[in-house]
Amino acid sequence: MSEENRWAWWQAALEGDIGPMHEGQPEQGYYRTRFKGGQWEPVALWFENGEWHAMRGERMVDPADTWNFCRTHPVSYEAYQKAIEGAGWDDEPPAPSIGHNLPSDPHEALKLEYESEKELAADLMKKEVKTEDQASQIAILSKRISVVTKKATDFHKVEKQPHLDAGRAVDDKWRYLKEDPADLSKQLKRHLDAYLIAKQREERERQEAARREEERLRREAEEAARKAAEADQQSEAERQAAIDRARQLEQEAAAKAKEAEAKNASAGRTGARVSLRTFPEPNITDYDALLTALKDRPEIREVVESLAKRAAKSGVSLPGMEIIEVQRAA
């Protein structure tokens, strides 16, 4: 490129015509560059007194090295001048206004950073997006705010990890004495199941025999009461004896009724007694009918929606659903 117009390469690049580029061989003009995840910084490259010069922000830097990083980002002189004066870039949101004297506590420092970004986000969202620069500002700010989340996650992990490690150590220490005795206790109870079920069967047989005896005694009591009522056919002594007999039989029947009351099969002593208990458990006889009955429950819908999203993400269409395309900023 001729020395008469050292600006030619940069001027063409501004129009979108990027010419040949060679590492370490600058082209005079205005550019911008940044460190990974950082803010754009203005760069000026010029040839003077037989040598190349470069300024990044307000500091002089190595021209060849700077060119290698800024050459694909030419900017107009007006944009460069605006950035040099501290007014930032039209397509980039301002840097967080938190100053340099940040708290030493990472949580408080990051909180200040986020509050500043949050305030800027609120301002940007008050305006309808109509230009590429506005869209770029919002996209960049979204990325910056997502970095806050990552930083918070990392700081949280670092701060919490010692507590997690200590908690796991305590869990490991006590796990055997918490879980193994509980399992063994359950095994012992299961070992009693057959015995208690047999004992329960004997108890039911005893109850049935007591009920039959109660019925027999009540019939005899009714017969004795009937005879006592036939006063004209017996002496006073006989009538009284019949009444006494009827009362005795009624008492015996009541005793048998009490004896017929259910007693749960059990083993052990007070405070350490194990007995049979009834636990309701489902026996699914019609899976499809059960699903139909449960389909409106929120937890079932949540599971179905989760499975449907997984299927859609995998490109698998299932009966009762269709895969649609939804566009959103990401």
Side-chain angles (χ1 to χ4, degrees):
M1 187 172 293
S2 66
E3 293 184 359
E4 287 73 17
N5 185 11
R6 288 190 174 276
W7 303 96
W9 191 96
W10 166 73
Q11 290 168 340
L14 283 179
E15 299 297 325
D17 182 12
I18 304 292
M21 293 182 291
H22 303 287
E23 190 167 335
Q25 298 180 23
E27 295 289 352
Q28 186 164 287
Y30 301 100
Y31 305 86
R32 65 180 180 178
T33 188
R34 64 179 176 180
F35 295 110
K36 184 177 180 180
Q39 295 286 110
W40 286 111
E41 293 183 87
V43 173
L45 286 166
W46 71 96
F47 190 79
E48 185 178 24
N49 297 328
E51 60 181 354
W52 282 98
H53 304 271
M55 177 176 284
R56 177 171 178 167
E58 296 181 347
R59 63 190 186 279
M60 299 301 294
V61 291
D62 179 78
D65 184 59
T66 302
W67 163 253
N68 294 336
F69 293 98
C70 74
R71 57 190 177 181
T72 56
H73 305 293
V75 298
S76 67
Y77 173 74
E78 292 76 18
Y80 169 83
Q81 196 63 34
K82 181 180 178 182
I84 278 290
E85 292 172 356
W89 307 91
D90 290 340
D91 63 348
E92 184 175 63
S97 55
I98 54 178
H100 299 288
N101 296 322
L102 293 175
S104 58
D105 182 356
H107 175 270
E108 294 304 316
L110 191 59
K111 185 177 179 182
L112 283 177
E113 179 181 341
Y114 174 61
E115 292 299 333
S116 177
E117 299 284 45
K118 186 176 180 181
E119 184 177 341
L120 178 57
D123 290 339
L124 290 178
M125 288 191 291
K126 289 177 182 177
K127 307 169 187 175
E128 182 182 354
V129 180
K130 294 183 177 180
T131 68
E132 186 65 26
D133 285 345
Q134 286 178 302
S136 180
Q137 283 190 355
I138 291 174
I140 292 170
L141 184 59
S142 173
K143 175 63 176 178
R144 284 196 338 216
I145 290 176
S146 71
V147 171
V148 173
T149 297
K150 185 180 184 305
K151 287 181 181 178
T153 301
D154 293 342
F155 284 138
H156 174 261
K157 182 178 180 180
V158 169
E159 184 173 343
K160 189 176 181 180
Q161 195 61 48
H163 302 281
L164 291 176
D165 293 341
R168 291 191 187 101
V170 173
D171 291 342
D172 291 341
K173 175 182 177 180
W174 288 99
R175 182 173 291 109
Y176 172 73
L177 290 177
K178 285 176 59 182
E179 297 178 358
D180 202 80
D183 290 340
L184 183 55
S185 176
K186 291 176 183 177
Q187 291 174 30
L188 288 168
K189 289 180 179 180
R190 295 294 73 76
H191 194 62
L192 280 174
D193 284 348
Y195 168 78
L196 291 176
I197 289 172
K199 191 174 179 181
Q200 184 81 321
R201 185 167 53 249
E202 293 174 0
E203 172 61 18
R204 287 173 180 167
E205 292 173 355
R206 183 198 64 76
Q207 292 169 19
E208 182 60 29
R211 278 193 292 271
R212 289 196 299 269
E213 181 64 11
E214 176 199 359
E215 292 173 359
R216 185 188 67 78
L217 290 171
R218 289 198 184 282
R219 287 195 299 271
E220 289 188 11
E222 290 171 359
E223 178 63 20
R226 184 186 63 77
K227 290 181 178 180
E230 298 174 352
D232 55 339
Q233 299 180 9
Q234 53 188 315
S235 65
E236 181 62 26
E238 290 175 332
R239 189 177 71 82
Q240 187 60 47
I243 292 173
D244 292 342
R245 177 60 177 164
R247 288 175 179 170
Q248 179 184 355
L249 290 171
E250 187 64 36
Q251 291 173 355
E252 291 179 5
K256 284 297 179 182
K258 188 172 183 61
E259 187 178 329
E261 292 177 358
K263 296 179 181 178
N264 202 12
S266 62
R269 56 173 173 76
T270 302
R273 188 173 298 279
V274 177
S275 59
L276 282 181
R277 295 175 59 189
T278 301
F279 297 92
E281 292 187 358
N283 178 30
I284 301 176
T285 57
D286 189 328
Y287 198 83
D288 292 337
L290 181 59
L291 281 178
T292 300
L294 296 174
K295 66 182 178 62
D296 291 328
R297 294 184 66 89
E299 57 267 39
I300 298 299
R301 286 185 172 272
E302 185 177 341
V303 170
V304 172
E305 288 173 3
S306 175
L307 293 174
K309 287 179 180 178
R310 190 182 304 175
K313 191 173 182 180
S314 302
V316 178
S317 183
L318 300 173
M321 65 165 277
E322 60 180 355
I323 300 176
I324 61 174
E325 293 184 346
V326 178
Q327 293 185 322
R328 54 178 174 264

